[in-house]
Amino acid sequence: FFFSSRRRHTRFLPVSWARRCVQETGVDYSKFRERTIAVVLATGMSQHFSSLAKIKSKLTAMEEFDIKGKDKNDVMEMVLHAADISNPVKEWGQYYQWTERVLDEFMSQGDEERNLGLPINQLGDRYTLNTAKAQILSLIHI
């Protein structure tokens, strides 16, 4: 399934729908899927500082930065990651809505971890989570 979100409603669309949309543009679906997965995985905070260092070194090395060629993937990853962590600089109403959405996603993951008998992520336990502390933790890690 392909994830789509509008306002407070989340829905999952069949992969066949996403594949059809991509193919109508003339793009190879397998390459699109591979690139999409790589870009989404690059949004993880575990890669934040190494990705930032990679981009900074390319920009300070005075080498030609080719946004449409060899550096395109790095730029796509950095842009999506920047969008992913940009909640604290949004207007309050948007920030609050996204905070609820993100925490809901974390708690859903925590519920699944609980059901599987796995250790629950610090931000995923709906019974002990303190939203204010969670926001501070998120900002500290950035």
Side-chain angles (χ1 to χ4, degrees), residues 30-115:
S30 62
K31 288 181 182 177
F32 169 79
R33 183 178 185 278
E34 179 182 323
R35 187 71 249 152
T36 300
I37 290 169
V39 169
V40 169
L41 290 176
T43 64
M45 287 307 294
S46 63
Q47 298 179 20
H48 176 82
F49 292 105
S50 62
S51 296
L52 190 59
K54 187 162 94 174
I55 292 287
K56 279 184 177 180
S57 70
K58 286 183 177 192
L59 292 173
T60 58
M62 300 301 286
E63 67 179 72
E64 188 175 320
F65 195 75
D66 185 7
I67 196 168
K68 292 184 178 181
K70 66 180 177 59
D71 298 311
K72 183 177 181 178
N73 291 338
D74 291 336
V75 171
M76 287 172 29
E77 291 172 3
M78 187 57 68
V79 167
L80 186 61
H81 180 59
D84 188 43
I85 63 173
S86 68
N87 292 343
V89 297
K90 291 183 172 138
E91 178 271 323
W92 173 252
Q94 280 186 316
Y95 169 72
Y96 186 77
Q97 283 181 349
W98 279 106
T99 298
E100 286 183 323
R101 291 174 182 173
V102 167
L103 291 177
D104 185 52
E105 180 182 336
F106 290 161
M107 288 185 282
S108 293
Q109 179 178 335
D111 294 342
E112 187 65 24
E113 291 167 346
R114 182 178 285 105
N115 291 338

